[in-house]
Amino acid sequence: MKRIFFKGRFIFIPILAAAILSLVSFVVMQLWNNLLPAILHVGIITFWQALGIFILCKILFGFGKGGRGWGGGGAPWMRRRMEEKFKNMTPEEKERFKQKMSERMCGGFGNHRGGRFSDWEDFKTEAPKATE
């Protein structure tokens, strides 16, 4: 009985993947055709164009692992790059980096000093604040 399950699984998985991809492509096509022509005055698309748009978005924005929530996503190459930088920091540098991120992202819209995070590159060169 167990052998039959394993053989059936290898046939079932590609069929399931094709069905899910078809469903997602259909949803993309319907959303595009029902929303964007009225909003942005663009043309309607076919199923195959919707499939292409979906695949292109997955290539450009990453396939993701799910369950990361807001702020934890992004392209996999970007996550790996940031993880590598963070791994090579000393504990003091990590704390300063977390503090700067907190000031930038959670401190409101007025704390970004010119709209660019211009001084992120030199956070390693800043003198640590004395904690007494």
Side-chain angles (χ1 to χ4, degrees):
M1 183 69 176
K2 202 170 195 178
R3 279 192 154 178
I4 294 171
F5 173 73
F6 285 120
K7 287 181 182 179
R9 184 177 67 182
F10 291 115
I11 294 170
F12 182 69
I13 290 174
I15 293 171
L16 180 65
I20 291 172
L21 187 61
S22 297
L23 179 65
V24 170
S25 298
F26 180 75
V27 169
V28 169
M29 180 185 74
Q30 290 299 315
L31 286 170
W32 182 289
N33 291 339
N34 289 314
L35 294 174
L36 292 180
I39 297 170
L40 299 176
H41 307 292
V42 297
I44 61 172
I45 62 171
T46 66
F47 173 82
W48 298 108
Q49 289 171 325
L51 177 65
I53 289 171
F54 175 70
I55 291 172
L56 179 64
C57 287
K58 285 300 184 181
I59 290 169
L60 292 177
F61 302 120
F63 290 87
K65 294 182 179 158
R68 291 187 170 266
W70 186 84
W77 60 269
M78 185 177 283
R79 277 196 306 273
R80 281 192 297 272
R81 188 172 143 202
M82 287 303 294
E83 287 171 2
E84 188 66 32
K85 281 185 175 181
F86 200 72
K87 188 170 54 172
N88 293 330
M89 291 181 190
T90 65
E92 294 82 18
E93 291 170 342
K94 286 180 185 179
E95 190 58 39
R96 282 196 302 270
F97 180 78
K98 287 179 184 178
Q99 180 65 31
K100 283 198 176 281
M101 288 295 289
S102 175
E103 290 171 5
R104 301 273 190 272
M105 301 302 173
C106 301
F109 292 106
N111 291 341
H112 60 279
R113 287 185 272 211
R116 288 280 177 196
F117 304 109
S118 58
D119 57 345
W120 277 22
E121 293 300 323
D122 61 351
F123 74 90
K124 283 187 174 183
T125 61
E126 291 180 6
K129 296 177 182 169
T131 54
E132 293 181 25

